[in-house]
Amino acid sequence: MDQEQFPTSADTASANTVGTVASPLLAGFSVTLITLITGNESPEHLLKYPDITLAVLLIATISFVLAVQFTVASRVYNLSKQEYQNRTLNMKANDRAQAYAVVMSKLEKKIVQVRLAFNFGLITLFLGLAGILLPPYPSSIRTYIVCGLFIFLVCEVAWLVYAGLESYIFRRSLGKKQKAKSQ
């Protein structure tokens, strides 16, 4: 792994926020929706597809919990270069640099897992909301609301892809600027 691809402190801070604040909050929201639907004596009168909606909300909940778990797992590898060097004083400099690259590669994979789990949870949560809003009977204004939600969902997916690519390009550009300065 090239140094320019190492996660930045912003990458780790972002993953930490996603895994310790946003994911638990949205997982709780998903569980609340599941509880409200299953606690209703006849959800088929409220929802067009109650079983599918429940399944999608359960997938969202699981995805958010996975994002939390991946965040916790990523912290094992979240060491500064100085901290890593202090912990590996008995290694040769070249071996230490290679080992650090391995650690950073593992951290990057965990950050990607956090983002993917969170993004998938977000998308399935919105699909679950669409299932809740979808009217059990046609010709309702809620049909238009659901269409608006799907338009938002498409925009959200586009944003997630764009933000991921932008982050990758940004990290690559930092490495190129450092190489240009050192030459």
Side-chain angles (χ1 to χ4, degrees):
M1 178 178 214
D2 294 332
Q3 186 171 352
E4 66 232 21
Q5 294 179 12
F6 286 174
T8 64
S9 59
D11 291 326
T12 55
S14 173
N16 186 54
T17 301
V18 163
T20 60
V21 178
S23 291
L25 177 72
L26 293 173
F29 182 65
S30 300
V31 169
T32 301
L33 290 174
I34 290 169
T35 304
L36 289 173
I37 293 169
T38 56
N40 192 317
E41 292 180 16
S42 56
E44 60 279 348
H45 292 298
L46 297 173
L47 306 172
K48 187 165 185 128
Y49 305 108
D51 293 336
I52 293 171
T53 301
L54 285 170
V56 170
L57 289 170
L58 180 61
I59 291 168
T61 304
I62 291 168
S63 296
F64 291 132
V65 170
L66 285 174
V68 172
Q69 291 176 329
F70 292 143
T71 300
V72 171
S74 74
R75 290 183 175 171
V76 172
Y77 306 107
N78 191 11
L79 302 171
S80 69
K81 193 165 190 171
Q82 184 62 43
E83 183 179 14
Y84 188 79
Q85 287 177 346
N86 291 342
R87 291 175 176 245
T88 57
L89 291 174
N90 59 343
M91 295 174 76
K92 294 179 184 176
N94 191 35
D95 293 339
R96 185 183 303 139
Q98 289 176 349
Y100 186 72
V102 169
V103 168
M104 289 296 102
S105 175
K106 289 181 180 184
L107 177 59
E108 174 66 18
K109 286 178 184 172
K110 293 296 177 193
I111 289 172
V112 168
Q113 289 173 333
V114 169
R115 286 184 183 146
L116 289 175
F118 179 76
N119 292 346
F120 188 71
L122 201 57
I123 290 166
T124 53
L125 175 61
F126 285 123
L127 288 173
L129 289 174
I132 290 170
L133 292 172
L134 195 63
Y137 308 104
S139 72
S140 173
I141 192 71
R142 285 198 300 172
T143 304
Y144 296 112
I145 294 170
V146 171
C147 290
L149 183 59
F150 276 114
I151 291 169
F152 171 78
L153 186 59
V154 168
C155 292
E156 181 68 17
V157 169
W159 164 253
L160 294 174
V161 170
Y162 171 77
L165 289 173
E166 185 180 45
S167 173
Y168 175 78
I169 290 168
F170 175 71
R171 278 182 295 158
R172 298 284 300 193
S173 72
L174 291 176
K176 290 177 183 175
K177 288 176 185 174
Q178 281 183 330
K179 284 181 184 178
K181 284 183 181 179
S182 65
Q183 291 177 353

